[in-house]
Amino acid sequence: MMKKLLIATIAVLLALDASAAKKSKVTPLQFNPQSGVKASLTMPDGKVVNYTAYTKLYFVTNVEDSTYQYMNLFVPDGVTQQSPMFLRTYVGGYMASEAGSPQAQDASGRALAEGYVLVIPGSRGRTSTVAKGKKTVYTGRAPKALLDLKAAVRYLRHFDSVIPGDAEKIIIDGTSAGGAMSSLMGATGNNAAYEPLLKAMGAAEERDDVFASVCYCPITDLDHADMAYEWLYGNTDSRKSLADSKQALSQELAAQFPTYINSLGLKKPDGSSLQADNYLDYVKQIIIRSAQEAKDAGADIPDSIGFSFSSEAAFQAPINGGVAGKKPQGMPGFGKKPEGMAGGMPPMMMGGGKRVGEYITDLDMTKYLNYVVSTQALKGVPAFDSYNVDGAAASGENGEFGNAQGSDANFTPWAAAKAGIMVSTEVNENVRLMNPMSFIGDGQTTVAPHWYIRHGARDRDTAFPVAINLATKLQNAGKDVNFKLPWNRPHSGDYALNELFSWIAEIVR
């Protein structure tokens, strides 16, 4: 009897020890205002920005992956509690992103120089793993990266009274998949669907909405990205040269896009409906505006890629009673190239372009799309949900929606059917949680009031309609949206920083 009692007592003690060990891994959220380290950053113009750095700030209590689940915070000298906070995510390809340091050449350094508190959070991604016993566990599959960013914002609000800066003026900036994260942060604020997931992580019980989203070339709306891609590029020479099976897949996908467009109920700025039958013309007008703005600033826009121009001004006003006449042919135009244009522009656009008129009157979209494709080859068919479709390999997005064991997954019903499976309930929900279009205007979400969206006019990493639909739906919801397809820009971000930070200065004023 005594032996049994002793064994039982030892078992209870061991259980208590095990419980204590588990609890010891739960670290309370902390911020020590005295822990900062002084540092400085020299900007390209020679200006030295002095700041205080606070690093390794873990933003959840249940840290699953200590490599990524923390943020670094940088406070420039002179900041007040009213100073805006600039959150720069370096997510790319839906991969993990470590918390880093300010970079003089991008928006992070510029934010410091502008006197904003800089936040660089880490986040898990589709290839991040931890070892649990003998098993390798993938920690960052959808929607984990988004949850980490939400937890980071909640941390900033939790310690708003002691962290310099204003957590009600958080501006998030990201590019590509980071642009998608920025769009999601702006579109999903405080939505209840994320609450149990954040609670399980030990995120602070605070709001996670943001003040503004800066989205460079967001790779988003993934459940409709394949159909948009083939609708836009399916008639290019590149697609027509593919094997018959690939062409058939392209045509199937393209045929789905009109129904999706019509289901969105989008409105143009003039209040008229934006539908499948006028959508391509709408895209064309946006590109024409982009090219015209660049041309007005001095860029050479060639007619060889599909543009039509008005003739030169036919009338010149008489000077001192003289006789009016036509402008001599070949007279050079004036003006400088828009900021940020020189870096991403091929040689043909830098001086060899044909200046044939003052106004762009039309654009042959077939020619133009073939031009875009000539600057960088298109993705395969399908471009995003490719796993086991006609023998195609898995894309990064198939990994994003895969499971913790590392398996890839189809995430659209069409691709899953081609692969002979069905999309699981869990994947369907994760796809919804990773699409900003699911939440804008739903009445249950705090959507950011201010948006800055850019997608290069020759960026083929996703189709133009993805960014256009996002911007248009936000505009229709009454949000302040600054949207452009910047002329001749490839897939890139953090360009034209004067323009970006002028916009930020206006919205935070």
Side-chain angles (χ1 to χ4, degrees):
M1 186 72 178
M2 285 295 294
K3 186 175 180 182
K4 285 183 179 179
L5 183 61
L6 180 62
I7 291 172
T9 303
I10 291 170
V12 169
L13 289 171
L14 287 172
L16 288 170
D17 284 345
S19 176
K22 283 183 181 177
K23 285 183 179 178
S24 68
K25 293 180 182 178
V26 178
T27 306
L29 298 177
Q30 300 174 32
F31 179 78
N32 178 4
Q34 309 306 317
S35 65
V37 176
K38 295 289 184 181
S40 65
L41 180 71
T42 302
M43 298 299 291
D45 63 1
K47 177 182 178 180
V48 176
V49 182
N50 297 308
Y51 63 87
T52 303
Y54 300 86
T55 57
K56 288 263 177 141
L57 304 174
Y58 286 92
F59 45 67
V60 290
T61 59
N62 300 324
V63 177
E64 181 184 34
D65 195 332
S66 59
T67 305
Y68 300 109
Q69 290 182 287
Y70 66 85
M71 71 172 75
N72 294 336
L73 184 71
F74 309 93
V75 181
D77 290 358
V79 156
T80 70
Q81 287 301 119
Q82 287 72 49
S83 298
M85 308 183 89
F86 189 85
L87 192 155
R88 176 65 162 93
T89 174
Y90 285 93
V91 172
Y94 287 97
M95 306 281 277
S97 175
E98 287 193 54
S101 299
Q103 304 297 309
Q105 303 292 335
D106 71 13
S108 64
R110 179 63 179 269
L112 273 184
E114 294 288 336
Y116 303 154
V117 174
L118 173 65
V119 184
I120 304 181
S123 55
R124 295 165 294 172
R126 60 183 172 86
T127 59
S128 60
T129 61
V130 295
K132 292 188 178 178
K134 293 183 179 180
K135 293 183 179 179
T136 297
V137 177
Y138 284 74
T139 63
R141 300 301 173 93
K144 297 291 185 66
L146 175 60
L147 296 175
D148 285 343
L149 294 174
K150 282 180 171 288
V153 168
R154 289 178 169 214
Y155 177 97
L156 294 172
R157 278 213 172 85
H158 192 64
F159 292 109
D160 192 25
S161 63
V162 289
I163 293 177
D166 185 358
E168 295 305 315
K169 289 286 192 296
I170 296 173
I171 299 115
I172 181 169
D173 171 27
T175 295
S176 192
M181 292 299 166
S182 186
S183 71
L184 283 159
M185 288 297 292
T188 65
N190 310 320
N191 189 278
Y194 303 91
E195 192 60 40
L197 303 172
L198 288 161
K199 188 170 184 177
M201 292 164 58
E205 293 185 8
E206 304 282 353
R207 292 170 24 232
D208 52 51
D209 58 291
V210 297
F211 180 68
S213 286
V214 177
C215 313
Y216 284 101
C217 50
I219 303 294
T220 190
D221 198 3
L222 294 174
D223 35 333
H224 305 102
D226 283 322
M227 60 178 75
Y229 204 83
E230 300 311 319
W231 177 86
L232 188 69
Y233 292 118
N235 289 321
T236 58
D237 295 341
S238 174
R239 280 297 192 247
K240 290 177 180 177
S241 67
L242 294 177
D244 289 347
S245 64
K246 299 293 185 187
Q247 289 190 53
L249 293 175
S250 175
Q251 290 166 13
E252 276 188 52
L253 282 165
Q256 299 172 34
F257 189 63
T259 301
Y260 174 58
I261 282 297
N262 292 341
S263 74
L264 293 174
L266 299 176
K267 301 287 186 184
K268 299 180 192 177
D270 65 4
S272 62
S273 292
L274 178 57
Q275 296 182 316
D277 59 359
N278 60 21
Y279 197 95
L280 189 63
D281 185 67
Y282 189 64
V283 176
K284 179 173 78 173
Q285 295 306 320
I286 294 173
I287 293 170
I288 286 175
R289 282 199 300 274
S290 171
Q292 185 68 60
E293 181 180 334
K295 191 177 195 322
D296 290 346
D300 293 333
I301 309 294
D303 57 356
S304 59
I305 61 174
F307 289 100
S308 298
F309 301 87
S310 65
S311 60
E312 289 283 359
F315 179 81
Q316 287 186 339
I319 300 174
N320 295 329
V323 179
K326 289 186 177 180
K327 177 181 174 183
Q329 280 197 326
M331 181 178 288
F334 297 95
K336 63 179 181 178
K337 290 180 173 60
E339 181 201 350
M341 184 170 293
M345 187 174 294
M348 64 172 286
M349 307 303 289
M350 291 297 293
K354 187 177 179 184
R355 192 187 301 274
V356 296
E358 186 175 5
Y359 297 110
I360 299 171
T361 57
D362 203 1
L363 175 61
D364 181 328
M365 283 297 289
T366 301
K367 273 189 179 182
Y368 182 74
L369 293 172
N370 275 312
Y371 160 67
V372 172
V373 174
S374 76
T375 68
Q376 188 177 10
L378 290 173
K379 294 182 176 182
V381 184
F384 297 93
D385 192 358
S386 56
Y387 187 43
N388 286 334
V389 178
D390 194 34
S395 69
E397 289 77 15
N398 291 127
E400 171 69 0
F401 291 109
N403 61 24
Q405 289 72 50
S407 297
D408 298 306
N410 292 108
F411 54 88
T412 61
W414 180 87
K418 294 293 182 185
I421 60 169
M422 292 181 65
V423 180
S424 71
T425 301
E426 181 182 6
V427 170
N428 266 327
E429 176 61 3
N430 288 338
V431 169
R432 185 182 79 88
L433 294 178
M434 291 295 289
N435 191 343
M437 301 291 283
S438 304
F439 299 91
I440 299 164
D442 69 354
Q444 303 170 47
T445 309
T446 308
V447 178
H450 303 286
W451 292 75
Y452 185 95
I453 303 172
R454 295 292 185 268
H455 181 99
R458 64 177 178 94
D459 179 350
R460 66 50 153 164
D461 279 46
T462 194
F464 302 140
V466 170
I468 291 171
N469 290 345
L470 175 64
T472 306
K473 189 166 187 179
L474 287 163
Q475 288 166 340
N476 292 172
K479 304 305 174 185
D480 166 38
V481 183
N482 186 313
F483 170 65
K484 289 182 183 178
L485 298 179
W487 173 245
N488 218 41
R489 267 279 161 194
H491 193 64
S492 54
D494 274 13
Y495 49 79
L497 292 182
N498 287 345
E499 185 178 328
L500 170 62
F501 280 91
S502 292
W503 177 78
I504 292 174
E506 284 294 323
I507 65 170
V508 301
R509 188 164 294 163

